[in-house]
Amino acid sequence: SYADVCGQEDAVRAVRDLIELPMRHGALFEAVGAHPRPGGVLLVGPPGTGKTLLARAVAASCGAHLELVGGPELLSPYIGASEQALRQVFERAAQAAPALIVFDEMDSIAPSRQRAEAQHQQALVAQLPTLLDGLEPRRAVYVIATTNRPQAIDPALRRPGRFDRVVTMGLPRQAGRAAILRHHLAPLHLEGGLERERLAHWLAARTRGASGADLAH
Ligand code: ADP
């Protein structure tokens, strides 16, 4: 749930506005003559800052079907297999709508064409924009892509209607780190009179530069 994504309040609010609101209240949008806008949201930030966590939370809170796609599942060396797998992701999502498709580490799935050396990667880069453009507002299929290197993603994917909305998830500052630590310390049984709150603050002050994943670990 959103409560598991600590210290990223701005990102949580932005993603809820961009995805949860139209997904849950599509009818309201239509009632005023506006269409909920399909297309994707790019979550940008260093590894372990909670991007996948947030994407999962959005899907869970909307009761939406989730298609979580990583590079290795898609990148098959067999001719045509990658494109077929990608098409099936969009088909499954459309059938199970409302649905959220999450591309994890998009820069490795759809790198800029110069970087996409392998043929199957080039084919994916060429096909993805077409699939994104084919999303209909009424079908309630939304797409999130996560990356640490937005400039390494094929520019064709950054055009309007595709991944044109960017939400940043940076490394947490001290208060954010304390929130993350508090969350992960909550289920632990502490001995020797250790106080959770003080421990979280003590650790947060000494873990500058740590990501959420580092702190959880
Ligand atoms: P990313 O997708 O940004 O690489 P993940 O969402 O996969 O990072 O995070 C990995 C794990 O690290 C999570 O499952 C969680 O345990 C912890 N974590 C990361 N960010 C946060 C956060 N903001 N609040 C709480 N836990 C976090």
Side-chain angles (χ1 to χ4, degrees), residues 93-95 97-99 135-142:
Q95 269 163 18
L135 290 175
E136 295 164 37
R138 280 163 213 277
R139 296 306 289 268
V141 175
Y142 290 80

Side-chain angles (χ1 to χ4, degrees), residues 4-6 8 46-53 104 180 184 212-213 216:
D4 298 313
V5 191
C6 311
Q8 295 284 2
T49 46
K51 300 183 292 300
T52 317
L53 208 56
D104 218 4
I180 293 168
H184 287 282

